Amino acid sequence: TEDIKKNSLTDKELELWSFIGKAVGSQEFSDIIKNTFQNDLTKRYNTNKLKTKTRIELISDENGYSISPHTDGSHKVATLLFYMPVDSELRRYGTSIYQPKDISFIDERGIQFPFEMFNEVRQIPFIPNSVLGFIKTNNSFHGRPLIEHLNQPRNWINCSIQHSKMLIN
């Protein structure tokens, strides 16, 4: 909430964002996500009853932004990208899902790799009221190619459910 206050929001806006932060950051919400992915989490961690914390970031991208293919850091359990455009004009600016050209390539660390090492499998459209959710695996490569010709901010919420006691790598 302190970070939100620094951005000079009105009282009504602050109330709305505080409510969203509390709801999405709640243990109940985290448990719903873990239950949704319970089979995959059980395969990865031998349980879906992980102790977690939630990090929520409100992000606004502009022209020149990109993030090359990566899996998330090993401290992350699941990621949810809530898209918040005002209309479908930014449809082509969604997150891309990648497959390594060397299909045996994996990465647990979550570092970024050159686009040239990957083929884009799919781009999730950046449209209102949509969310991309996935668990962290050693082959869950995703990223965002360079944003150009944007005439409005690319607003979204990054919600990451993380191991409570695991250090960020």
Side-chain angles (χ1 to χ4, degrees):
T1 305
E2 283 305 312
D3 288 341
I4 292 173
K5 288 179 184 174
K6 292 177 188 173
N7 289 316
S8 303
L9 298 177
T10 66
D11 287 344
K12 195 167 197 151
E13 291 168 332
L14 178 59
E15 183 180 340
L16 171 65
W17 286 111
S18 294
F19 173 79
I20 291 169
K22 286 176 187 169
V24 174
S26 71
Q27 189 62 52
E28 181 181 16
F29 184 82
S30 175
D31 289 345
I32 290 169
I33 299 305
K34 289 184 287 187
N35 285 335
T36 299
F37 293 114
Q38 72 180 12
N39 292 339
D40 293 319
L41 290 175
T42 300
K43 284 179 194 171
R44 182 168 170 80
Y45 303 105
N46 295 320
T47 183
N48 72 320
K49 305 291 185 210
L50 303 165
K51 291 186 179 180
T52 58
K53 60 184 176 183
T54 302
R55 178 178 178 158
I56 304 164
E57 301 168 280
L58 182 57
I59 300 172
S60 184
D61 296 326
E62 298 179 355
N63 286 315
Y65 174 78
S66 72
I67 185 166
S68 58
H70 62 285
T71 62
D72 284 337
S74 58
H75 65 287
K76 292 188 179 179
V77 174
T79 297
L80 298 154
L81 309 178
F82 293 89
Y83 293 163
M84 302 186 315
V86 295
D87 55 34
S88 294
E89 183 180 327
L90 301 181
R91 172 187 246 355
R92 71 180 188 268
Y93 293 105
T95 302
S96 293
I97 308 300
Y98 294 96
Q99 180 179 40
K101 290 179 179 176
D102 172 0
I103 60 171
S104 66
F105 180 74
I106 58 173
D107 178 68
E108 184 63 33
R109 302 163 297 166
I111 63 174
Q112 296 178 40
F113 294 94
F115 285 98
E116 296 77 29
M117 291 176 58
F118 296 85
N119 293 315
E120 183 181 65
V121 175
R122 182 169 183 212
Q123 188 177 92
I124 308 305
F126 194 80
I127 55 176
N129 304 315
S130 61
V131 63
L132 167 61
F134 53 90
I135 66 165
K136 191 283 190 278
T137 67
N138 60 12
N139 65 352
S140 56
F141 292 99
H142 58 284
R144 173 58 243 162
L146 181 67
I147 293 176
E148 298 179 299
H149 313 297
L150 198 63
N151 60 8
Q152 62 177 289
R154 181 180 178 265
N155 295 322
W156 56 289
I157 296 173
N158 183 3
C159 172
S160 60
I161 298 171
Q162 307 175 1
H163 289 276
S164 291
K165 297 181 181 175
M166 187 177 278
L167 296 176
I168 296 174
N169 56 356

